[in-house]
Amino acid sequence: MTELVSRTVRLSSPPDSVDTVQDLLATIWAQTPGLDDADRMAAELAIVELAANVIEHANGGGDIAFSLSIVVFEDRIEATVTDSGSVERVNLDDRAMPESMAERGRGLPLMQMLSDSVEHHRVEGSNHWTVVRARRASSPRARRSMPSISIAGVIDEMARQRALDDMGILDTPPEERFDRVTRLAAQLFGVESAAVNMIDHDRQWSKSLTGLGSEEIARSESMCTITVQSDEALVVPDLLADERFAAKANPDTLRFYAGFPLYAPGGERIGAFCVYDSQPRHFSARETEMLRDLAAWVQQELTVSQELSRASEVQQGLLPQKLLSMPGWQIAGVCIPARAVGGDFYDWYPVGEGAAFTLADAMGKGIAASIIAATVRAVLRSAARFADVVGAVDAASAALSIDLDNAGVFVTAFHARLDMDSGTLTYVDAGHGLSIVSRADGSSQRLTSTAPPLGVDPETEWTQQTVDLDPGDTLIVVSDGVLDLYDGTLASLDNLVALAMLSRDPWEIIEAIRARARGFSADDVTVLIVRRDDAG
């Protein structure tokens, strides 16, 4: 159905008021000169009453933010308001106009008298209102039975967008597991292009694109935005020959289109797997079934992505979420997995008159390494009851030896305890060897490893080492992925010392490493920094 004019605004009261709404309506009426005066006046009164009702009642008279969308169609005028007010239930049944002298209670009955449909729904903490006025040009039969599509549409779109956002797939780098499907589809169907597209707000974004086209286009130009409106495949042999889709045709890239919807775990249609070509062509029933099968392959990969996204959230949740309260000290850390999850972690927690610090790197990447890393973290934390770092690492080694041996992996680890008053750091380095102290005077001291990684030799006798952190000194512990951000050798530690000398605080060092790792993550990148404030 063709829309003539549409406007959407975001309002906040105060300062916005019904005057703001009337100004908006004036701009709309100016663009619809053919609108019947009676329809215009009735719609304006109903919409202003709706806005006034929201401003006055939605939040008990308090400040309120809401969005207002007004669309003038060929056969109706439709307004939708979404607000975050506290009112949860509105009774629209049996609303009658109050007595003529009454000062309140006119709003809703007046809206109902002036409109063909007034609806209210409460969805996930927001109120959704829709007012529909059928235009006089419409047939009389259509007047009182005019359905509202906005409430259902708004709710469905909100759920669809939320599901897409929860997938965590938007604006992520290309992945071979999707690219291989689009390459296969282009070859299999003999078309110029194939894509895995997500429909996001007002754009279409491609997770995988083989052939012609742009990674991102306006949603209004997308064929896939039509595909997500149905559970069935959408096949258009020639867009120019079909008036429904002719406006979306592009002679250089898009005359033929076939797509199948893709779903979030909750069943919301979030995108489409499609093939297209600059030349019209026939697409058989057998080819449609093959397209469905390939879409199911993509769907399976999306499910894996969702599971990995959840795993990533869990793993990030295991990292320290709060800063330690250690006057005179600054502490920061970051963990950037090469994949959704990784085998590195850092940790800190208070012990005695200071804190314990750990950075560990499990062999490998991905889910298997992340499970090992989580186990190591839990065991080392449970060993905090030991008074020294040797006892903690020895207990962890004993508890992990069978599991690590069965998995055929090892874990390098740096585990330390800091006395915040004296600045003395005692530590055990289990095959890690990637720690360095940047001194306030510009010198540096690398902390060497004297023992093998956890899981190599359960009979290892761990050796405790100490180093003093003086005012202005910075301890930097990293995983080997950080070295790969530079030249891949131990000389890269000197670059970190230079960063420490130039940075005002540990967070500047973290941000510099994060920026360097952006777009380059062949290995997990993890950093732990402990800086002692300057004297005085």
Side-chain angles (χ1 to χ4, degrees):
M1 187 170 296
T2 304
E3 67 179 46
L4 301 180
V5 178
S6 65
R7 292 287 184 275
T8 299
V9 293
R10 182 73 178 171
L11 305 175
S12 296
S13 177
D16 294 315
S17 66
V18 292
D19 291 337
T20 313
V21 176
Q22 288 177 319
D23 290 341
L24 171 65
L25 287 167
T27 65
I28 293 176
W29 305 146
Q31 297 178 62
T32 53
L35 190 62
D36 183 84
D37 287 343
D39 289 335
R40 177 182 56 76
M41 293 176 62
E44 180 162 336
L45 282 173
I47 294 169
V48 169
E49 281 293 340
L50 172 58
N53 187 74
V54 169
I55 291 172
E56 184 175 355
H57 301 294
N59 221 18
D63 295 355
I64 185 69
F66 61 99
S67 64
L68 169 62
S69 297
I70 302 173
V71 185
V72 179
F73 293 93
E74 289 180 341
D75 62 347
R76 69 184 186 278
I77 304 163
E78 189 166 317
T80 303
V81 169
T82 300
D83 69 71
S84 56
S86 58
V87 173
E88 295 188 359
R89 187 174 183 276
V90 177
N91 180 18
L92 292 175
D93 297 329
D94 302 321
R95 298 298 295 238
M97 288 292 289
E99 296 180 359
S100 59
M101 298 300 292
E103 296 182 1
R104 302 177 65 85
R106 296 178 177 276
L108 291 177
L110 182 59
M111 287 161 53
Q112 290 175 318
M113 288 178 61
L114 296 168
S115 308
D116 292 276
S117 172
V118 177
E119 296 183 18
H120 170 269
H121 293 263
R122 179 81 174 178
V123 181
E124 297 187 358
S126 295
N127 294 302
H128 301 280
W129 291 88
T130 293
V131 172
V132 178
R133 164 80 181 189
R135 295 176 59 173
R136 284 195 169 198
S138 304
S139 64
R141 179 178 297 180
R143 294 268 315 163
R144 299 307 299 183
S145 61
M146 179 66 63
S148 165
I149 62 170
S150 287
I151 283 291
V154 166
I155 294 173
D156 287 348
E157 177 62 17
M158 287 177 60
R160 194 199 66 76
Q161 186 64 51
R162 187 181 302 108
L164 176 58
D165 292 339
D166 289 346
M167 294 285 288
I169 197 171
L170 290 172
D171 299 312
T172 56
E175 296 180 65
E176 175 61 22
R177 58 200 180 99
F178 293 105
D179 292 344
R180 68 167 63 98
V181 187
T182 54
R183 287 197 305 268
L184 175 61
Q187 295 171 3
L188 187 63
F189 296 113
V191 293
E192 294 169 336
S193 308
V196 175
N197 292 327
M198 300 294 136
I199 302 303
D200 173 40
H201 291 293
D202 59 354
R203 65 166 182 161
Q204 171 185 286
W205 174 80
S206 299
K207 174 61 180 174
S208 176
L209 175 60
T210 294
L212 306 174
S214 301
E215 180 182 285
E216 183 175 323
I217 63 172
R219 183 170 177 176
S220 59
E221 301 173 5
S222 163
M223 284 295 294
C224 289
T225 196
I226 300 173
T227 303
V228 300
Q229 297 174 16
S230 167
D231 290 320
E232 301 301 321
L234 174 62
V235 178
V236 185
D238 185 356
L239 272 69
L240 288 178
D242 192 324
E243 63 180 11
R244 297 172 300 170
F245 310 115
K248 297 181 184 292
N250 184 320
D252 297 324
T253 59
L254 182 60
R255 283 281 299 274
F256 160 77
Y257 173 91
F260 196 84
L262 299 170
Y263 301 84
E268 301 87 354
R269 294 185 290 269
I270 57 171
F273 174 69
C274 67
V275 294
Y276 55 97
D277 202 283
S278 62
Q279 298 298 318
R281 58 158 292 175
H282 173 69
F283 205 67
S284 68
R286 181 173 178 275
E287 287 176 312
T288 302
E289 286 303 313
M290 291 166 61
L291 179 70
R292 187 189 303 269
D293 291 342
L294 289 178
W297 182 359
V298 174
Q299 187 67 57
Q300 185 176 6
E301 295 296 345
L302 286 173
T303 302
V304 171
S305 294
Q306 176 72 354
E307 292 172 351
L308 287 175
S309 177
R310 297 293 187 194
S312 178
E313 291 175 6
V314 171
Q315 186 176 50
Q316 290 295 315
L318 293 176
L319 298 175
Q321 303 299 307
K322 295 182 180 179
L323 297 177
L324 290 172
S325 178
M326 292 179 59
W329 296 86
Q330 300 177 66
I331 303 159
V334 68
C335 180
I336 308 171
R339 301 176 183 172
V341 292
D344 292 3
F345 76 90
Y346 67 90
D347 197 15
W348 61 61
Y349 47 90
V351 290
E353 298 302 317
F357 300 94
T358 304
L359 189 147
D361 183 355
M363 183 181 72
K365 293 183 285 291
I367 294 177
S370 71
I371 294 173
I372 295 296
T375 304
V376 173
R377 173 191 177 277
V379 171
L380 279 173
R381 278 222 167 192
S382 68
R385 65 185 184 277
F386 290 93
D388 61 351
V389 290
V390 169
V393 174
D394 190 55
S397 176
L400 292 166
S401 61
I402 295 177
D403 290 338
L404 294 179
D405 184 60
N406 289 339
V409 300
F410 60 82
V411 179
T412 67
F414 177 90
H415 182 68
R417 290 191 181 183
L418 173 67
D419 186 311
M420 69 176 186
D421 295 326
S422 67
T424 299
L425 184 84
T426 59
Y427 67 93
V428 169
D429 190 306
H432 196 69
L434 298 178
S435 307
I436 196 166
V437 176
S438 174
R439 299 293 185 185
D441 61 6
S443 63
S444 63
Q445 177 184 350
R446 185 182 163 208
L447 308 185
T448 58
S449 176
T450 59
L454 299 172
V456 172
D457 181 6
E459 303 300 323
T460 298
E461 294 186 4
W462 308 100
T463 303
Q464 174 178 295
Q465 302 183 72
T466 63
V467 64
D468 291 324
L469 299 180
D470 299 322
D473 290 350
T474 303
L475 168 70
I476 307 173
V477 189
V478 301
S479 65
D480 55 2
V482 175
L483 304 186
D484 293 334
L485 300 181
Y486 296 93
D487 65 3
T489 70
L490 290 175
S492 301
L493 295 176
D494 294 334
N495 296 94
L496 303 179
V497 172
L499 271 179
M501 294 299 298
L502 295 171
S503 301
R504 292 169 295 180
D505 55 51
W507 294 277
E508 283 194 6
I509 305 173
I510 293 294
E511 287 308 311
I513 293 174
R514 190 193 297 273
R516 197 174 186 91
R518 193 170 293 123
F520 182 93
S521 53
D523 198 358
D524 303 332
V525 171
T526 304
V527 185
L528 172 65
I529 301 174
V530 179
R531 172 175 283 183
R532 188 172 189 179
D533 292 344
D534 294 331

